[in-house]
Amino acid sequence: MDKARHSRVFVAIVALGMALLGLSACSTTAPDAAPAGDVPSSTPTDDLAWQQEQLQEKADELWNTVERQFPDVARPEAEFIDWSTAPALGGSEELRGCLNETSASEFSIEEREVAHYVCFVQYPVKPEYSTDDADTKP
């Protein structure tokens, strides 16, 4: 595969990751409309549990994208390292470094897709409540 095609695939992966991460900020449900389990309480422990749930949902969405392209690929272990700024805003230095390291032409498309999944899981954008929900947060 030529370098131009590799570049287009990489841009598509990054764009997809940015879109999924960007949607996370827009997809909060008003607390009165959500089931009780979806609304975090005001305690730090519950906020952490809510963030972890949001991170898992985003990781699952990202993995589903990879798995649709490569159904036989095994999902790698990936653990949170640090928060990143939104990729649309340039992402954190760590996220950019991770993506750059895994974009080398010696990797197959499948290897790059899996590696990029790991990068986005390791350096996610911190889920936050929308400002519309700030006054109604329990």
Side-chain angles (χ1 to χ4, degrees):
M1 194 181 290
D2 63 11
K3 286 188 179 193
R5 182 155 161 67
H6 286 286
S7 295
R8 286 192 302 269
V9 169
F10 173 71
V11 169
I13 293 167
V14 172
L16 177 63
M18 289 188 293
L20 289 172
L21 292 171
L23 286 175
S24 69
C26 301
S27 64
T28 51
T29 306
D32 54 286
D38 290 346
V39 180
S41 74
S42 59
T43 64
T45 303
D46 290 338
D47 287 346
L48 178 61
W50 178 81
Q51 285 179 341
Q52 289 173 332
E53 182 180 316
Q54 295 298 307
L55 291 175
Q56 186 61 52
E57 287 177 14
K58 296 308 165 206
D60 291 345
E61 288 175 17
L62 288 169
W63 183 251
N64 288 337
T65 302
V66 173
E67 195 172 43
R68 278 192 297 275
Q69 284 188 288
F70 306 100
D72 297 328
V73 70
R75 186 174 184 168
E77 290 292 321
E79 294 186 17
F80 171 86
I81 295 176
D82 199 4
W83 298 114
S84 176
T85 55
L89 301 174
S92 68
E93 196 171 307
E94 293 82 7
L95 175 61
R96 286 193 316 268
C98 183
L99 292 171
N100 286 336
E101 287 176 20
T102 59
S103 296
S105 60
E106 71 253 17
F107 296 112
S108 71
I109 294 172
E110 180 179 317
E111 290 170 326
R112 280 195 303 270
E113 296 262 350
V114 171
H116 290 172
Y117 157 78
V118 171
C119 292
F120 283 112
V121 170
Q122 290 176 333
Y123 302 103
V125 175
K126 187 174 186 176
E128 295 183 15
Y129 304 106
S130 73
T131 55
D132 295 340
D133 296 339
D135 294 334
T136 59
K137 180 181 164 192

